[in-house]
């Protein structure tokens, strides 16, 4: 049954330009991934009738995979399937595929295709305080591969779900939130979505809603982010999640991983305490992959301070160079100040100048200038294949006495004192932390992107100020800036 649906889907993909499918955020699930997602549901042995929702159904691959699974459940006799799809180009394919499923099944299957906008059509249902339907339709199982597409902050879909939106949202997390809303209590939802929602301020409201109304029970990770969707070029790191609609926090959560979308026979599996995966008031989700990752989280969580707690803060660089082209200079001139880029960070130090274009800026805009004082610079972007996500360099103001002000490009971050300039030993101590293997692994578990976000860094646990200064003095005395030396220094303080 599923093979036939995949065949007609591939015919659609071949006939439809990728640019048009991208416009709708369409990326189709592979056969193997669809079957794995369907396998995650717990089918009650005493339930004779079930209701299923597939929002953004596309060609019906996930619906078919779940029905294929339900075919194996002797107790289930009746299946009511509801599919939302409003892309006219694929509706004929969806209808054809679902009729194939219906005709091939031994169960009694009722199919409803709703050709409406999944989010806006339920606006009043989701916002019940506005006087909408007091008893909206609910489902036993929700399955989905939602559209991956950013929308404006004033788009109708964003306006329909204001309590989970911040800035310009992506449709995928609006679909996920609405999917949870559509579940019966104790119902189960399996979605394949990007990892990006698991941390950061941008998704905070979504996480708080999603992980309060429901609880994660299973997460699946793909080792290779370019092998998740067949015939698609998707660079977003993608995960599969299973969520149960309940307010009861489970003791454990299962995390599995595979190399690609067709390698589910060779899974690695890990059972982790729930509070090690979902943590804090911001509901960050830590995607640990082995016992070593868990041990690292445990060690760092012994520290009960954050950078702001000890009078420090990471900030994003001030100057967006392409928006200030008229102020940029290749060479020093009267009134020019240094503009530091990620390229100036080399082997733990900040080197300047390096004969790079636009290394100087001439400006009287206060928002583009900062005091020339001690900082730890941290690269904001790194390549996916690089050994480290956290890459930093020590900036010491005494090396550049000719400048009262400097500037930083917004592709680097910097750590500064909130009230006063940081001492040199404090900067070196911060370098120990950010150049260690332990903190790099912690950040990778927290954030799967190649971007280092100041919001997440400022929420990380760190030692007390005196301990950081002491670590810095040890580093200054040793003059060994290597990752191994930083590991050995940090090891003495975090056990």
């Amino acid at each position: 049954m599923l093979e036939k649906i995949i065949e007609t889907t591939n015919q659609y993909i071949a006939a439809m330009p990728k640019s048009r499918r991208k416009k709708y955020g369409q990326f189709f699930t592979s056969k193997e991934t669809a079957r794995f997602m369907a396998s995650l549901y717990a089918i009650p042995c005493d339930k004779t009738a079930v209701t299923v929702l597939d929002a953004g159904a596309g060609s019906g691959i996930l619906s078919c995979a779940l029905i294929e699974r339900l075919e194996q459940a002797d107790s289930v006799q009746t299946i009511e399937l509801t599919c939302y799809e409003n892309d006219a180009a694929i509706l004929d394919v969806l209808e054809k595929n679902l009729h194939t499923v219906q005709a091939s099944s031994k169960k009694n299957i009722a199919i409803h295709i709703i050709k409406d906008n999944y989010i806006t059509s339920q606006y009043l249902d989701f916002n019940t305080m506005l006087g909408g339907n007091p008893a909206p339709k609910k489902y036993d199982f929700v399955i989905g591969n939602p559209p991956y597409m950013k929308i404006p902050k004033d788009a109708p879909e964003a306006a329909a779900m204001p309590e989970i939106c911040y800035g310009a949202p992506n449709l995928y997390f609006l679909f996920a939130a609405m999917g949870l809303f559509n579940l019966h209590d104790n119902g189960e939802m399996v979605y394949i979505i990007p990892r990006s929602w698991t941390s950061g301020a941008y998704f905070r409201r979504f996480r708080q809603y999603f992980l309060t109304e429901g609880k994660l029970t299973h997460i699946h990770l793909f080792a290779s982010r370019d092998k998740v969707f067949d015939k698609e070029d998707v660079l977003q790191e993608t995960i599969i999640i299973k969520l149960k609609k309940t307010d009861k926090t489970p003791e454990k959560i299962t995390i599995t991983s595979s190399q690609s979308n067709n390698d589910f026979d060779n899974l690695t599996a890990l059972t982790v305490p729930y509070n090690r995966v979902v943590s804090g008031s911001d509901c960050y989700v830590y995607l640990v992959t082995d016992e070593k990752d868990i041990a690292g989280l445990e060690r760092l969580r012994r520290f009960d301070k954050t950078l702001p707690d000890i009078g420090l803060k990471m900030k994003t660089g001030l100057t967006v160079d392409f928006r200030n082209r008229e102020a940029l200079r290749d060479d020093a001139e009267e009134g020019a100040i240094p503009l530091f880029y990620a390229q100036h960070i080399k082997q733990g130090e900040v080197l300047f100048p390096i004969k790079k274009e636009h290394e100087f800026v001439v400006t009287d805009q206060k928002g583009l200038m900062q005091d020339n004082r001690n900082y730890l610079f941290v690269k904001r972007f790194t390549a996916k294949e690089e050994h480290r996500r956290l890459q930093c360099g020590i900036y010491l103001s005494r090396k550049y006495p000719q400048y009262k002000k400097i500037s930083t490009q917004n592709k680097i971050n910097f750590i500064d004192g909130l009230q006063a300039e940081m001492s040199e030993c404090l900067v070196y101590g911060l370098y120990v932390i950010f150049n260690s293997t332990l903190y790099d692994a912690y950040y990778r578990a927290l954030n799967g992107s190649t971007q280092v976000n100041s919001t997440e860094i400022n929420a990380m646990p760190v030692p007390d100020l005196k301990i950081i200064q002491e670590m810095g003095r040890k580093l200054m005395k040793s003059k060994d800036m290597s990752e191994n030396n930083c590991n050995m220094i940090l090891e003495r303080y975090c056990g």
Side-chain angles (χ1 to χ4, degrees), residues 216-443:
L216 289 166
T217 60
H218 193 124
I219 300 173
H220 182 79
L221 312 175
F222 296 95
S224 177
R225 63 177 174 169
D226 61 349
K227 295 180 180 178
V228 177
F229 295 102
D230 278 351
K231 300 176 176 59
E232 305 287 5
D233 181 20
V234 178
L235 292 180
Q236 175 73 258
E237 188 160 354
T238 308
I239 62 177
I240 294 169
I241 58 170
K242 176 183 174 183
L243 198 82
K244 186 173 184 177
K245 189 167 187 178
T246 178
D247 58 2
K248 296 179 181 178
T249 302
E251 290 186 10
K252 305 283 186 180
I253 181 170
T254 300
I255 299 179
T256 55
S257 60
S258 63
Q259 289 298 313
S260 64
N261 67 2
N262 58 4
D263 191 30
F264 292 103
D265 291 332
N266 298 296
L267 297 181
T268 60
L270 187 68
T271 302
V272 188
Y274 191 88
N275 62 6
R276 293 296 178 266
V277 177
V278 180
S279 179
S281 60
D282 285 339
C283 296
Y284 282 161
V285 179
Y286 294 83
L287 299 182
V288 293
T289 58
D290 53 34
E291 296 292 345
K292 186 178 178 181
D293 284 347
I294 298 172
L297 291 181
E298 295 283 353
R299 292 170 70 190
L300 292 188
R301 285 177 179 171
R302 295 175 188 173
F303 299 134
D304 60 357
K305 300 288 195 304
T306 63
L307 288 177
D309 290 338
I310 60 173
L312 309 176
K313 191 174 185 179
M314 176 175 275
K315 304 174 184 177
T316 302
L318 307 181
T319 299
V320 181
D321 48 354
F322 68 86
R323 292 179 182 167
N324 295 277
R325 297 184 191 279
E326 73 289 345
L328 304 180
R329 303 290 188 272
D330 291 341
D331 301 300
E333 63 179 64
E334 187 172 350
I337 61 174
L339 175 58
F340 291 94
Y341 295 78
Q343 293 93 321
H344 290 109
I345 300 173
K346 296 183 182 294
Q347 298 178 329
E349 296 182 278
V350 176
L351 303 180
F352 183 89
I354 57 173
K355 302 302 180 183
K356 181 192 180 304
E357 68 174 358
H358 303 158
E359 281 189 298
F360 295 89
V361 61
V362 176
T363 182
D364 56 3
Q365 295 184 55
K366 292 183 179 180
L368 301 184
M369 296 185 288
Q370 59 200 87
D371 291 337
N372 181 21
R373 56 193 204 177
N374 298 331
Y375 299 102
L376 185 74
F377 289 166
V378 182
K379 289 185 180 181
R380 193 171 162 212
F381 296 95
T382 53
K384 180 69 178 178
E385 62 277 4
E386 288 191 71
H387 166 61
R388 293 187 56 83
R389 188 66 60 237
L390 299 179
Q391 299 183 27
C392 54
I394 291 171
Y395 176 85
L396 300 178
S397 59
R398 62 174 168 81
K399 293 186 176 182
Y400 306 95
Q402 67 272 42
Y403 300 109
K404 290 185 177 181
K405 298 287 185 179
I406 64 170
S407 189
T408 43
Q409 194 222 16
N410 80 322
K411 290 184 180 177
I412 66 171
N413 297 310
F414 61 91
I415 298 179
D416 189 15
L418 290 173
Q419 302 296 329
E421 180 174 6
M422 297 189 295
S423 65
E424 289 190 12
C425 66
L426 179 53
V427 180
Y428 274 88
L430 290 171
Y431 179 85
V432 169
I433 289 173
F434 284 86
N435 195 49
S436 70
T437 304
L438 190 58
Y439 271 88
D440 190 68
Y442 180 97
Y443 192 80

Side-chain angles (χ1 to χ4, degrees), residues 10-230:
N10 288 341
Q11 292 170 0
Y12 168 82
I13 292 174
M16 189 61 59
K18 185 175 288 188
S19 58
R20 189 195 181 283
R21 290 189 288 110
K22 186 176 181 180
K23 180 181 176 182
Y24 283 85
Q26 266 183 0
F27 300 100
F28 292 95
T29 318
S30 72
K31 175 179 64 178
E32 294 82 5
T33 300
R35 281 184 171 143
F36 175 75
M37 291 172 66
S39 75
L40 295 178
Y41 290 97
I43 311 297
C45 59
D46 59 346
K47 203 168 180 67
T48 59
V50 297
T51 53
V52 176
L53 170 66
D54 183 356
S59 63
I61 292 173
L62 289 175
S63 292
C64 178
L66 183 50
I67 289 175
E68 201 177 59
R69 168 83 194 286
L70 291 168
E71 288 278 337
Q72 302 166 19
D74 293 336
S75 62
V76 176
Q77 298 300 314
T78 301
I79 303 167
E80 183 183 352
L81 171 66
T82 300
C83 292
Y84 277 83
E85 184 54 64
N86 66 348
D87 179 4
I90 203 170
L91 274 170
D92 287 345
V93 179
L94 175 63
E95 290 174 350
K96 178 181 177 181
N97 285 344
L98 294 184
H99 287 148
T100 298
V101 170
Q102 194 174 37
S104 305
S105 177
K106 298 176 182 177
K107 308 290 185 180
N108 178 22
I109 300 179
I111 294 174
H112 311 289
I113 298 177
I114 301 178
K115 304 173 185 179
D116 208 342
N117 184 303
Y118 174 58
I119 302 298
T120 59
S121 65
Q122 299 189 93
Y123 166 65
L124 289 178
D125 290 351
F126 187 80
N127 299 279
T128 52
M129 73 289 294
L130 299 179
N133 182 0
K137 174 72 174 177
K138 301 287 184 177
Y139 303 84
D140 299 310
F141 303 122
V142 172
I143 195 165
N145 173 9
Y148 301 73
M149 187 169 64
K150 284 187 177 181
I151 57 174
K153 61 182 179 182
D154 58 352
E157 293 86 355
M161 305 180 76
E163 70 178 86
I164 66 165
C165 290
Y166 176 82
N170 194 302
L171 276 177
Y172 86 77
F173 76 78
L174 299 185
F175 269 65
M178 190 66 82
L180 176 60
F181 170 77
N182 286 142
L183 273 177
H184 282 304
D185 288 344
N186 296 311
E188 295 181 343
M189 166 182 171
V190 178
Y191 257 44
I192 180 167
I193 56 176
R195 173 183 171 162
S196 51
W197 66 275
T198 59
S199 63
Y202 184 77
F203 296 97
R204 181 187 291 121
R205 291 182 186 175
F206 166 69
R207 283 195 308 275
Q208 290 172 335
Y209 170 80
F210 201 56
L211 299 176
T212 300
E213 297 293 316
K215 298 294 180 287
L216 289 166
T217 60
H218 193 124
I219 300 173
H220 182 79
L221 312 175
F222 296 95
S224 177
R225 63 177 174 169
D226 61 349
K227 295 180 180 178
V228 177
F229 295 102
D230 278 351

